[in-house]
Amino acid sequence: MAGDEFSELLGQLKQRSGLSYGVLGKRLHMSASTLHRYVNGDAVPTDYAPVERLARVCKATPDELVELHRRWVLADARRGQKGVGGPAPAGAGAGAASAIAEPTAEPVGGAGVDSEPGAGVGVGPEDGALPAGERGVGPDAPVASVVPVPRRRRTVVLAGVAVAAAVVSAALVVNLVPGGGDDGQGRKQSVGAAAPESVAAGSGDSGESPGSKGEPVSPAVSGDSTPTASNSNSTSAQPGSGAGAAPDAVDEDGASAPTVAANPYKWEDPCSQHYLVNQKAEQVPPPPNESEARGWVTALGGVAGGQQMLALTVQGTGKATVVLEAMHVRVVTKNAPLAWNDFEMGFGCGGSVETKSFVVDLDAGSPTVETKAGQRDFPYKVSESEPEVFYVFANSKAHDMSWYLELDWSSGTNKGTVRIDDNGNPFRTSGNVGRPAYDYPLGDSEWWRNEYEPNIKG
């Protein structure tokens, strides 16, 4: 089981470290009992950040960190499936039984109840609408000794059910079938709070980013914070695709767009992460842990300075294997770097993550996704049981950049593009060269100007 594999690896790391639960709890600011539940498999953390901190304290290798994250994703997904498949609320069964039992007590045609002419039009023959046990009942059949319910009531109920079913079917068709004028060969999807405004057709295949020609793309913003993949209204033509082929969004093998969980507040290590904040040092609170970075940055209106690291967990949603063909960078805006103070998160620095990592030079005319440290480039394969974790390092020295990623995928005859952003908003990274540099020494209670490098070097 996924949860057992996750706790098993945690236990191996803990045992190898030689540290007790009490010592680990103090270093991680967690209770020993909580750690014990994680390692024993009694609970799965809702957030990966404490798991990663535990692994780093136990001196896990980069490969072990990636494998641990993969197992946590599977264990967390399994826990969600258990929650969905829980028992129905008490009383639901009684209500359903009552709704089913009511028509059974009704007399059938010829039993003394007058039905209105034409009441069943559009629903089907009366015998076909009755339960199997009531079909073909003649005048000699015994009549139930209950107060009869007029047939019109049954007809109205059945008509209402038919209308509801028709509405649900129409909604499914709208979501599964490409819109009018679509060649059916590709679809744009979005990963974020909701499907943002569509990207212009064909942008997924262009070698130039929209921002390189001064044509900003304005993604829509939604308040929902749950990352999901959803179809948008526009489509992109794929090279070599034949006109007239229109595959459904999900084929008979279950092939569909992968899901992508994007974490733009991932740190390679605390000492490498900088944020630009438009406030004086005395007004800025102490640096957060990685798991609290989103709240800290959002509250201060901060922006990643110099480099932004993304952790992308890509997972299939059906039975079929999905091929991840390529990843592209799309620039939304490109401005002068922010003239704000630079704050380094550095305390308790750990090791770096190199497995399946990519770099992006946002200052380039047409930024592209390149492999880092000789790692293997695309394509990759994912499925529902075999996710992949990618790390993207976006660098900027001379500009304030708003940008997002697009991931091309294919499975059999289906193909499409998934947009990757920050819950409907583009990612934002600004150059920090020459900005006043502040750090927060261990054991101190305030920010200090870096005495060795008072300004960020280029």
Side-chain angles (χ1 to χ4, degrees):
M1 293 172 60
D4 296 337
E5 294 178 355
F6 170 68
S7 60
E8 179 184 4
L9 183 53
L10 271 185
Q12 293 173 359
L13 294 174
K14 188 267 177 188
Q15 183 176 7
R16 189 179 68 192
S17 71
L19 301 175
S20 67
Y21 287 109
V23 172
L24 288 172
K26 289 181 180 179
R27 293 190 181 184
L28 300 171
H29 304 289
M30 298 172 62
S31 66
S33 60
T34 299
L35 288 174
H36 191 268
R37 292 175 62 204
Y38 292 164
V39 174
N40 279 2
D42 296 330
V44 177
T46 57
D47 187 11
Y48 179 67
V51 178
E52 183 180 20
R53 293 201 304 270
L54 171 60
R56 289 186 182 277
V57 170
C58 295
K59 301 188 183 301
T61 65
D63 289 340
E64 288 173 331
L65 288 172
V66 172
E67 176 62 18
L68 184 64
H69 188 275
R70 187 187 72 84
R71 295 190 185 187
W72 173 81
V73 169
L74 295 176
D76 188 57
R78 185 177 183 84
R79 176 183 56 190
Q81 293 172 357
K82 289 181 179 179
V84 172
S98 174
I100 295 173
E102 184 176 349
T104 307
E106 298 177 16
V108 186
V113 178
D114 294 331
S115 60
E116 298 185 12
V121 175
V123 178
E126 291 182 358
D127 282 350
L130 297 177
E134 293 185 14
R135 296 176 187 172
V137 179
D140 296 331
V143 180
S145 59
V146 296
V147 179
V149 180
R151 180 177 304 281
R152 178 176 178 80
R153 179 176 180 180
R154 188 213 312 271
T155 303
V156 172
V157 171
L158 290 176
V161 172
V163 171
V167 172
V168 172
S169 300
L172 289 175
V173 170
V174 169
N175 280 291
L176 294 179
V177 179
D182 182 18
D183 62 1
Q185 295 302 307
R187 288 168 295 278
K188 292 280 186 181
Q189 280 97 14
S190 172
V191 173
E197 187 175 322
S198 305
V199 182
S203 63
D205 305 313
S206 173
E208 298 181 356
S209 61
S212 64
K213 291 187 176 182
E215 301 174 359
V217 179
S218 301
V221 180
S222 172
D224 189 354
S225 60
T226 304
T228 57
S230 57
N231 290 334
S232 71
N233 295 326
S234 70
T235 60
S236 61
Q238 302 291 339
S241 61
D248 292 334
V250 179
D251 65 16
E252 60 183 4
D253 296 325
S256 61
T259 62
V260 184
N263 176 14
Y265 298 92
K266 179 71 177 174
W267 297 351
E268 185 176 20
D269 64 68
C271 291
S272 68
Q273 186 57 55
H274 294 244
Y275 290 108
L276 293 169
V277 177
N278 191 24
Q279 294 189 32
K280 296 180 179 179
E282 55 267 24
Q283 298 174 329
V284 177
N289 295 320
E290 181 181 322
S291 60
E292 302 166 345
R294 178 184 287 273
W296 189 90
V297 174
T298 302
L300 296 172
V303 174
Q307 182 182 85
Q308 184 170 16
M309 179 181 180
L310 309 181
L312 309 177
T313 304
V314 186
Q315 186 174 18
T317 55
K319 297 178 182 179
T321 297
V322 177
V323 179
L324 309 179
E325 303 285 358
M327 189 181 294
H328 310 283
V329 185
R330 305 300 177 206
V331 175
V332 179
T333 60
K334 186 175 186 178
N335 300 307
L338 298 172
W340 297 353
N341 291 327
D342 181 277
F343 295 88
E344 182 182 6
M345 300 294 102
F347 62 95
C349 298
S352 61
V353 178
E354 295 292 343
T355 305
K356 294 172 185 173
S357 298
F358 301 86
V359 294
V360 176
D361 181 8
L362 293 174
D363 293 324
S366 297
T368 57
V369 178
E370 306 290 344
T371 57
K372 181 180 181 182
Q375 297 296 323
R376 180 168 70 85
D377 202 354
F378 286 94
Y380 283 88
K381 294 182 179 181
V382 297
S383 65
E384 191 172 19
S385 60
E386 292 293 332
E388 286 282 6
V389 181
F390 302 106
Y391 299 100
V392 178
F393 297 82
N395 302 301
S396 179
K397 293 183 178 181
H399 300 91
D400 173 19
M401 306 290 295
S402 293
W403 56 283
Y404 62 91
L405 296 171
E406 287 185 344
L407 180 63
D408 296 338
W409 65 273
S410 66
S411 183
T413 58
N414 287 350
K415 61 177 104 174
T417 299
V418 176
R419 170 171 166 154
I420 305 172
D421 54 27
D422 186 9
N423 292 330
N425 297 311
F427 305 118
R428 189 177 180 188
T429 313
S430 176
N432 59 351
V433 175
R435 302 315 308 156
Y438 291 87
D439 52 26
Y440 202 95
L442 285 173
D444 217 319
S445 59
E446 59 183 323
W447 292 95
W448 290 89
R449 188 75 175 266
N450 191 314
E451 59 181 331
Y452 302 104
E453 294 183 7
N455 297 306
I456 300 295
K457 292 185 177 180

